[in-house]
Amino acid sequence: MRNQSPPVIDIAGAERAHTHKAIDAACRDSGLFQVSGHGIDTRLIAALRRQMRALFAEPIAVKRSISRTAENPWGFYDKELTRYTRDWKETYDYGPGNDAEIVPQWPLGLPAFRPVIQAYYRACDEIAMRLLRVIARNLGMPPDALDANFRPEHTSFLRLNYYPKCPAPLAGHFGVNPHTDSGAITLLLQDEQPGLEVFRRGAWWPVDPRPDTLVVNIGDIVQVWSNDRYTAPLHRAVTHAGAARFSVPFFFNPVYSAEYAPLPSTINSREPPRYRPINWGEFRARRASGDYANQGEYAEISQYAV
Ligand code: OGA
Ligand code: NI
């Protein structure tokens, strides 16, 4: 039987032509692949896993004392909705602060948490930037054509996900309900416990856990840039009765002022642009209100189709 798990691509040679081709093929196929050779120190990954487990093992009152709010998106949360449906998970989000109300919140009892989270965030930022340049090139643009969207102050964030054991996983409790990621690129570190699934050619496929690799999926922004040459994959996380699961997505997102639209290299007289320009700050604000409450319309790129 053909192995249906997405391809593993070694990105140690991300500047090589055959690596570009493999990434292009994966983006055209499911929009999701795994990368080895990413260069993140295994000790950093081990430390991240330890800090993550330590955080979620804290008493719930301690975790709630660093809750995220409507004003400050960084912190702990255990009531998230994805497309209006409650997820079976606890999360902790970290991103850089601004000079006002947006500030990272750190668990007081875990002194090593902050440096580990910040070092891992920087490592992901660097890998995402390299992948962005490959994607720009694969879409027919100069490799650095998209860089400016992410400098100086991009809105990327790191999320720690804890999916507790679920007594009735088959009753429709998903760790994360089916969705596409709204940003540019997501890098996901899984543990050894399966759970992530991607929708491809009409069916859900498990993504094999490979603790030494990162799962990469493209988000809605890359779909728009590509003028639908690539599709942001629908994915979900299933729960288990017998085991908890942990994962760490890094969401690579542009500056709030970024406007994204099909790249000039993807449009011509036969293929007109399929989207009008979308402002990231506006899209993000519309999506965030849907995460908190069943209010308004769930923001989707299809609402910007022309
Ligand atoms: C997400 C997500 C999948 C996972 O947080 O957006 O898709 O396996 N997570 O944790
Ligand atoms: Ni996701």
Side-chain angles (χ1 to χ4, degrees), residues 176 179-181 186 217 235 251:
V176 186
H179 66 284
T180 61
D181 292 342
T186 304
N217 68 264
H235 56 284
F251 299 103

Side-chain angles (χ1 to χ4, degrees), residues 4-292:
Q4 293 287 355
S5 195
V8 179
I9 301 174
D10 182 350
I11 58 160
E15 284 64 44
R16 300 230 181 95
H18 71 265
T19 310
H20 301 165
K21 276 206 184 115
I23 291 175
D24 183 56
C27 288
R28 285 174 195 266
D29 182 22
S30 66
L32 186 147
F33 51 101
Q34 310 212 49
V35 297
S36 61
H38 49 66
I40 305 181
D41 192 332
T42 51
R43 284 165 305 185
L44 177 58
I45 291 179
L48 175 70
R49 292 200 163 110
R50 276 196 304 275
Q51 293 302 318
M52 169 161 59
R53 282 170 190 263
L55 172 73
F56 289 118
E58 292 278 319
I60 190 71
V62 171
K63 292 186 273 193
R64 290 204 175 126
S65 71
I66 54 167
S67 286
R68 78 181 206 216
T69 62
E71 293 73 40
N72 183 11
W74 308 146
F76 177 79
Y77 202 56
D78 62 356
K79 297 189 177 57
E80 188 154 76
L81 310 173
T82 297
R83 294 185 180 228
Y84 306 131
T85 307
R86 177 86 173 260
D87 295 331
W88 192 273
K89 70 179 180 193
E90 296 181 13
T91 61
Y92 169 88
D93 289 348
Y94 160 75
N98 64 5
D99 293 328
E101 70 277 17
I102 299 182
V103 275
Q105 301 193 79
W106 305 108
L108 282 180
L110 300 174
F113 186 87
R114 176 178 180 159
V116 167
I117 291 289
Q118 289 182 323
Y120 185 76
Y121 180 99
R122 281 193 302 273
C124 286
D125 184 29
E126 203 233 310
I127 294 167
M129 205 68 193
R130 283 172 66 202
L131 291 171
L132 180 78
R133 292 184 180 139
V134 175
I135 289 171
R137 181 197 288 262
N138 284 344
L139 291 174
M141 300 294 287
D144 61 358
L146 299 170
D147 287 16
N149 293 289
F150 297 84
R151 297 288 180 258
E153 293 283 297
H154 59 81
T155 59
S156 306
F157 68 101
L158 193 67
R159 168 166 286 179
L160 310 183
N161 280 317
Y162 164 48
Y163 303 108
K165 289 182 194 171
C166 179
L170 299 180
H173 293 302
F174 288 105
V176 186
N177 286 278
H179 66 284
T180 61
D181 292 342
S182 57
I185 300 173
T186 304
L187 308 180
L188 179 94
L189 180 72
Q190 301 199 72
D191 63 9
E192 62 291 335
Q193 185 63 38
L196 175 62
E197 297 185 344
V198 61
F199 194 74
R200 175 172 173 269
R201 301 187 189 167
W204 288 100
W205 299 97
V207 180
D208 292 343
R210 290 175 176 261
D212 53 333
T213 66
L214 295 174
V215 179
V216 177
N217 68 264
I218 56 171
D220 293 341
I221 294 180
V222 169
Q223 177 169 344
V224 170
W225 276 332
S226 79
N227 205 23
D228 288 347
R229 196 181 296 178
Y230 303 154
T231 306
L234 201 58
H235 56 284
R236 67 185 185 185
V238 299
T239 50
H240 302 276
R245 178 171 175 263
F246 296 86
S247 73
V248 189
F250 172 80
F251 299 103
F252 188 54
N253 294 337
V255 297
Y256 279 131
S257 59
E259 300 267 342
Y260 46 105
L263 295 172
S265 54
T266 67
I267 56 189
N268 57 46
S269 53
R270 277 173 299 114
E271 297 185 68
R274 298 191 183 184
Y275 300 92
R276 57 190 163 84
I278 305 174
N279 172 260
W280 172 243
E282 181 196 306
F283 190 88
R284 199 54 221 154
R286 290 184 51 216
R287 175 63 64 87
S289 64
D291 285 350
Y292 276 91

